[in-house]
Amino acid sequence: MAEALQQLQKYARRPRRSTAVHGLARELLDGSFVRASSEGEASFVESGGERFSRACVVGTVVGNDAIAGVPAVEVLDGTGVLSCRAFDEKSARGLEGINKGEEVLVIGKLRETRERFLAVECVRRLADPNWETVHLL
């Protein structure tokens, strides 16, 4: 019993990441970007009364190239084109083999340098293009 309680307490102390919010490229690109003001706080985009620090975007790949040596894809969701970049090895492997014209679901953190982009955490190919419509619901 004591061991189970210790495990539960250990789990409760772990930092929790924010939920990825279904977003449209237009909302993510046009909203105001707010940088994290302290350690442990996430930067976010505020658009239409919602805050996006992690986003889930579904769309068609219209570009597949490396930007400054970082693997990247550009995803068109019908409202705009969002650049999605992979900064770690696991995310880069997820972008391998993704071609123009494929439907994808991308989850990542919003970042901004000279331009706004999604730092990829997860990429999945979608076999059925109807998932884009489901994503908009």
Side-chain angles (χ1 to χ4, degrees), residues 64-73 83-88 91-92 95 117-120:
N64 187 355
D65 203 3
I67 299 172
V70 176
V73 294
S83 180
C84 303
R85 302 176 189 175
F87 291 98
D88 62 15
S91 300
L95 292 181
F117 61 91
L118 206 59
V120 175

Side-chain angles (χ1 to χ4, degrees), residues 55 57 82-85 106-110 116-120:
V57 177
L82 185 64
S83 180
C84 303
R85 302 176 189 175
V106 182
I107 297 174
K109 294 180 184 176
L110 287 156
R116 202 167 294 169
F117 61 91
L118 206 59
V120 175

Side-chain angles (χ1 to χ4, degrees), residues 91-102:
S91 300
R93 278 196 311 265
L95 292 181
E96 287 178 4
I98 292 181
N99 302 309
K100 289 181 183 178
E102 290 185 317

Side-chain angles (χ1 to χ4, degrees), residues 19-39:
T19 303
V21 179
H22 289 273
L24 300 174
R26 178 184 64 240
E27 294 173 322
L28 304 176
L29 294 170
D30 294 344
S32 58
F33 190 81
V34 179
R35 294 199 185 282
S37 59
S38 66
E39 187 68 31

